[in-house]
Amino acid sequence: MTKGEAFQQSAGVSPAAARYIAPAHLTGAALDAVSDWYRAEHATPLHLTGFLVPELAARLAGALRAVPTWARHASLIERGQEPIEYWGEEADTATDATASQFRVPDIHALFADGVLRPEHRRTLEEFFVFTVLSDTFRDWLKASTGLRLRKRTAMELAAYRNSDGLADHQDLMPGRVFAVNFYLDEEYRLEHGGRLGYRNGRGDEFRAAPHFNSLSVIPIREDCWHWVEPFTSDRVGRYTIAMAQHLEES
């Protein structure tokens, strides 16, 4: 066992994490930095570059581009109310929508025979093992925050075209503590916009660009808001796997 592997185990990070998370984010210093972020007096978004093992990030980017079931989606999000969702043609004519993007309506359907090429299906299966079916990603978060996170989670696959974005909102739900985004558009450039915005209870604002193979973790709190600035590319992009993280029920 190497010194790094011994530290990961003592910190509660599974040795399997090295299959998915780049080595730079598995060091003691990296975990300490995430711990400092979580315990800061005022909330900020965590943004880490080069988070996944590069080979996995490249395969995920290819798999998302190959998904055949992307559909137009829009929603009206108002505080304290269930979102009103629009799909297909209705999404493009919903003038009151506060969110506009492409979404995959049924992620589970991607694993039916013949929907995806075998290599893309295997890549998505591998990612779901990492983030949902095993505790590998949750243990990485727990090692720095101490939070026990629920295994069951909500996940979305999202992409954006010109002018798509999300208005400021909070994602307040019982037990929800983080919104997590894996950014997987290898063609993204800063001039394409689509930055994540975040405002904490003190009124401080932050922006994070969704560069390829970066990760954002957004604290969900009563006094914090987040949004996505309009995407400005002339092609569909900003491919994102978004997940919610909830506290484990006691």
Side-chain angles (χ1 to χ4, degrees):
M1 180 183 299
T2 67
K3 182 178 179 181
E5 289 171 335
F7 174 82
Q8 290 165 28
Q9 289 194 34
S10 67
V13 178
S14 166
R19 294 177 51 191
Y20 311 103
I21 301 174
H25 299 291
L26 292 174
T27 66
L31 293 173
D32 285 346
V34 177
S35 178
D36 291 342
W37 158 79
Y38 176 67
R39 288 169 174 77
E41 180 180 1
H42 299 287
T44 64
L46 176 69
H47 191 73
L48 302 175
T49 59
F51 183 76
L52 296 173
V53 172
E55 184 266 345
L56 174 59
R59 287 193 286 114
L60 277 170
L64 292 181
R65 289 185 181 278
V67 166
T69 55
W70 290 107
R72 289 298 296 165
H73 176 267
S75 58
L76 173 61
I77 304 171
E78 295 182 320
R79 182 170 183 172
Q81 300 183 27
E82 288 293 319
I84 300 173
E85 296 193 86
Y86 307 93
W87 289 94
E89 292 182 1
E90 287 189 351
D92 282 329
T93 57
T95 57
D96 59 346
T98 55
S100 182
Q101 57 194 180
F102 287 94
R103 289 255 298 271
V104 175
D106 184 355
I107 295 175
H108 296 287
L110 297 177
F111 301 101
D113 290 343
V115 176
L116 283 171
R117 285 165 44 184
E119 64 269 29
H120 295 319
R121 175 174 170 173
R122 286 193 297 269
T123 294
L124 290 180
E125 288 174 343
E126 183 179 354
F127 181 80
F128 292 158
V129 167
F130 165 48
T131 55
V132 180
L133 300 180
S134 76
D135 291 320
T136 307
F137 179 67
R138 286 184 294 274
D139 282 348
W140 179 83
L141 282 172
K142 180 184 175 185
S144 297
T145 66
L147 299 178
R148 296 178 61 86
L149 299 171
R150 192 174 72 189
K151 192 165 190 174
R152 183 168 55 86
T153 186
M155 179 179 288
E156 297 175 353
L157 306 186
Y160 294 70
R161 71 181 183 191
N162 191 285
S163 79
D164 282 351
L166 306 179
D168 55 348
H169 60 288
Q170 293 179 292
D171 283 349
L172 294 175
M173 292 185 64
R176 183 173 291 187
V177 288
F178 298 126
V180 176
N181 296 291
F182 293 86
Y183 300 117
L184 295 158
D185 180 4
E186 69 274 39
E187 297 182 13
Y188 175 82
R189 301 293 181 270
L190 190 58
E191 58 266 27
H192 296 158
R195 294 183 302 174
L196 167 72
Y198 188 89
R199 182 172 62 252
N200 64 22
R202 194 169 63 175
D204 302 323
E205 292 196 358
F206 305 86
R207 304 288 191 281
H211 289 294
F212 174 61
N213 195 17
S214 61
L215 169 80
S216 68
V217 183
I218 310 167
I220 303 300
R221 302 184 184 178
E222 283 277 355
D223 59 351
C224 296
W225 297 75
H226 60 276
W227 60 93
V228 173
E229 296 176 340
F231 189 63
T232 59
S233 176
D234 59 1
R235 59 169 184 83
V236 174
R238 202 186 184 279
Y239 289 94
T240 306
I241 301 179
M243 301 173 55
Q245 297 289 336
H246 296 78
L247 290 176
E248 187 178 77
E249 298 175 0
S250 57

